[in-house]
Amino acid sequence: MEFEIKEIRDRSAWERFLLTCQEKTFLQSWNWGDFQENLGFKTWRLGIYQKGSGIAGLSLVVKVVAKRGSFLFVPHGPNIKPEIKNQKLEILGVLLEKLRKIAEKEKIDFIRIAPIWERDQKSKEIFKKLGFREAPVHIHPEVTWLLDISLPEEEILRRMRKNTRNLIRRAKREGVEVFQENSQEGVEKFNELYSITVRRHHFAPFSLEYLKGEFSAFSKEDQIAVFFAKHQGKLLASAMVIYWQKIGFYHQGASIVSRVPAPYLLQWEAIKEAKRRGCQLYNFWGIVPEVKTTEDLKNPKIRRHPWWGLSLFKMGFGGYRKEYLRTQDLPLSFRYWLNYLVERARKFRRGY
């Protein structure tokens, strides 16, 4: 088969193709590209065309400029038409040729791809044949927790951990109120709780500008909601959830320490909202990579992981683990190795 690369400028064509893909996240959506551009990043929306048969795959590419080395980044892509997944090596090779040309023109030090491909030996070999190596860190989740929400609400509740189900009911009994405030003011209110969460857990936060930009990009088509849980007039928890192509994504969350289990009821209401919007799947985003079942969370080593508590919370709602191929890097200059050392050191300091 022969493939060629063309830039796609038609939003509807881009989104229509993604509807045909089973494995996908909003990081390859048209709106995510708009969001990156509004943040000041240069982007390319590349279509991989099979001659005589239309789009075979696509890839959003973002240029990231940093002092330690600039890179082209493909977040959770490329997406490939399911019928020709056996042509992955050829398709990725054609895409890589284009990325190398862009990299030369843009003075890029390396190419980074976070593929949303199964983590199997065949996928690893494809990237290895093209000269890639595993990245020292990941930018977006490589292991996620998913929940099938095509089932009736009663069945979803039944499949939860007993403790999670009880905490949802307790929050209701104690009078927790969950509501949405889908506005820039709502994002500012979310950020107040988010700042408290950052101080408690010591992680690198997104800026208010970033959060507002994400909301703006997806609110144009009513693809995002900002949830709040309130008890006796006090805000206890909040979440920003993206609803895109029949999938709900729990992307941003915040809460304060309280005896009242408000986050559990909030999350359940976000899941129910996903069902109302016609979603079939709910994506809780990242969990501790080493965890396969809730039993693994009892491991003393895993309990020390910064994401332990959050993983326990997410997995309590039921569902299953999905593991993608590790993020892949293609070094293009000596500056890549400076970046490699910096990222390795940061990963060590953060404890994961």
Side-chain angles (χ1 to χ4, degrees), residues 19-265:
L19 279 170
T20 69
C21 300
Q22 185 176 4
E23 299 289 352
K24 59 191 170 186
T25 74
F26 64 90
L27 297 178
Q28 282 288 307
S29 70
W30 190 272
N31 284 340
W32 189 257
D34 283 350
F35 169 48
Q36 296 299 310
E37 289 167 1
N38 290 335
L39 288 176
F41 295 109
K42 193 170 183 179
T43 67
W44 293 262
R45 292 181 176 93
L46 303 179
I48 305 149
Y49 287 80
Q50 184 179 345
K51 291 182 180 177
S53 300
I55 302 175
L58 51 74
S59 180
L60 174 67
V61 184
V62 181
K63 178 183 177 181
V64 181
V65 178
K67 290 181 181 179
R68 64 182 185 274
S70 299
F71 61 98
L72 295 180
F73 181 47
V74 177
H76 281 184
N79 293 94
I80 297 172
K81 190 162 63 173
E83 308 91 88
I84 57 169
K85 283 196 171 180
N86 60 332
Q87 298 291 313
K88 278 183 177 179
L89 177 59
E90 189 177 352
I91 291 170
L92 189 60
V94 171
L95 175 62
L96 183 56
E97 285 180 25
K98 178 65 176 180
L99 294 180
R100 282 183 178 276
K101 289 176 183 175
I102 294 172
E104 185 176 359
K105 184 178 179 181
E106 299 288 331
K107 296 181 171 54
I108 294 297
D109 299 298
F110 63 99
I111 295 167
R112 173 165 288 174
I113 298 180
I116 193 162
W117 296 5
E118 293 279 357
R119 189 181 296 183
D120 55 29
Q121 193 57 39
K122 186 175 181 181
S123 294
K124 291 177 184 178
E125 288 173 359
I126 287 172
F127 277 92
K128 190 173 181 180
K129 282 180 182 177
L130 294 171
F132 283 84
R133 55 176 291 119
E134 284 189 2
V137 296
H138 60 270
I139 299 174
H140 298 300
E142 297 173 338
V143 178
T144 62
W145 192 257
L146 304 175
L147 177 64
D148 177 3
I149 59 171
S150 65
L151 302 169
E153 287 182 15
E154 296 76 16
E155 182 62 18
I156 297 173
L157 280 165
R158 191 187 68 79
R159 295 186 179 198
M160 291 181 188
R161 285 177 65 234
K162 182 180 178 181
N163 192 49
T164 298
R165 191 166 55 245
N166 288 342
L167 288 169
I168 290 171
R169 291 168 178 163
R170 183 181 138 198
K172 287 181 180 179
R173 287 196 307 270
E174 296 194 14
V176 172
E177 176 190 353
V178 177
F179 62 96
Q180 296 181 38
E181 191 169 332
N182 299 325
S183 65
Q184 291 291 355
E185 291 74 22
V187 178
E188 291 174 5
K189 196 180 291 186
F190 168 86
N191 189 59
E192 292 173 15
L193 281 177
Y194 183 64
S195 299
I196 296 170
T197 308
V198 169
R199 289 195 295 272
R200 187 169 76 246
H201 291 293
H202 310 290
F203 62 87
F206 294 112
S207 67
L208 177 57
E209 177 191 13
Y210 184 100
L211 297 171
K212 282 186 168 183
E214 181 176 327
F215 177 82
S216 293
F218 288 94
S219 63
K220 293 179 294 186
E221 296 179 33
D222 190 30
Q223 293 179 338
I224 193 167
V226 187
F227 289 86
F228 294 93
K230 182 169 66 174
H231 181 255
Q232 297 180 350
K234 184 177 182 180
L235 292 178
L236 299 182
S238 184
M240 290 175 63
V241 181
I242 293 171
Y243 300 102
W244 173 77
Q245 295 208 352
K246 297 188 177 182
I247 309 172
F249 296 89
Y250 172 42
H251 192 224
Q252 311 283 4
S255 65
I256 64 173
V257 176
S258 171
R259 66 165 191 83
V260 181
Y264 290 87
L265 182 58

